[in-house]
Amino acid sequence: LWGSSFEGDWHPPYGPWVEALGDVARSLDPARLRRDLGAGAPVLARLLPELAATLGDVPAPAPLGPEEERFRLFDAVAQFLVAVARHRPVVLVLDDLHWTDRDSLQLLAYCGRFVARTGLVLVGAYRDAPLDLGDPLADTLAVLCRQDGYEHLALGGLSPGEVADYLARATRQPPPAALVRAIHAETGGNPFYLRQLWRHLVDERVAVQQHGR
């Protein structure tokens, strides 16, 4: 399952979770979906309106105070993922956590409590930049690192050899060593910047492939 956040001042509520959970909800047949949702169906139907189209009429949950509503939603999401993971392993990737809203991060921290005893793997990706004290992402990481099964993986840029391999695949021929050095120096091996720079060079006809278009 995959959900991502986007840069900007406005973020849809629980945006990356809606994206990821919508994928799994659409992949299950209605009978299995209903069983896995269990008592959380009315709560999650408010987060995922498409559930009503799949399951038919879903009753509205009883109103609660703001904090109780938040806990009920968090627990419904966690229990749904745990139920799905009983049938098949689930890997849920939340990308660009540095742009994620506070509520979505708090939901991630809550679901992290269930990873060690289920077939659920949570993967969060974020830019490795200094975080201020009190930053929502810093608070979330502080909670997650205390959970069993937590592991931090630092991903550096691609090496010059890996950049050369990428360009060889893109052009279907060995790239000139000078081009590899220049692109690696410009991008630091960042895969996203590497791809964007290469596309720019091709679009501007600075780089021309000799095989194919």
Side-chain angles (χ1 to χ4, degrees):
L1 310 176
W2 188 284
S4 59
S5 300
F6 301 93
E7 186 176 13
D9 295 331
W10 181 83
H11 302 276
Y14 300 103
W17 289 96
V18 170
E19 185 177 359
L21 295 175
D23 286 343
V24 69
R26 287 186 290 270
S27 72
L28 300 176
D29 66 81
R32 170 61 60 79
L33 179 60
R34 189 179 295 277
R35 287 196 299 270
D36 288 345
L37 286 169
V43 179
L44 287 181
R46 298 177 65 179
L47 188 67
L48 305 169
E50 62 266 32
L51 289 180
T54 302
L55 301 178
D57 291 336
V58 179
L64 296 174
E67 290 305 313
E68 291 81 3
E69 288 271 14
R70 185 193 306 270
F71 174 79
R72 183 169 63 179
L73 173 62
F74 285 12
D75 198 57
V77 170
Q79 296 305 326
F80 176 50
L81 290 173
V82 168
V84 174
R86 290 195 185 103
H87 311 300
R88 52 181 173 174
V90 174
V91 178
L92 191 152
V93 180
L94 298 178
D95 203 0
D96 291 322
L97 291 182
H98 47 279
W99 290 329
T100 300
D101 62 282
R102 182 183 294 271
D103 287 340
S104 292
L105 290 172
Q106 290 178 342
L107 177 52
L108 172 60
Y110 183 85
C111 289
R113 300 166 51 195
F114 298 86
V115 168
R117 56 183 185 270
T118 66
L120 173 65
V121 176
L122 299 176
V123 180
Y126 62 95
R127 286 181 183 169
D128 189 15
L131 297 172
D132 296 330
L133 187 65
D135 183 283
L137 179 54
D139 293 343
T140 299
L141 295 175
V143 173
L144 289 173
C145 72
R146 296 194 293 269
Q147 304 297 332
D148 292 338
Y150 173 85
E151 186 174 357
H152 178 265
L153 300 175
L155 303 178
L158 300 179
S159 68
E162 291 165 334
V163 171
D165 182 63
Y166 175 89
L167 295 177
R169 293 171 184 269
T171 62
R172 288 181 256 172
Q173 60 182 322
L179 177 63
V180 172
R181 290 194 298 270
I183 289 181
H184 183 266
E186 182 68 24
T187 65
N190 182 297
F192 175 77
Y193 296 149
L194 169 62
R195 183 173 65 250
Q196 294 299 104
L197 177 58
W198 175 250
R199 287 176 176 173
H200 172 73
L201 294 176
V202 171
D203 290 343
E204 295 298 320
R205 300 186 181 276
V206 175
V208 180
Q209 295 173 241
Q210 294 181 0
H211 302 287
R213 294 181 58 186

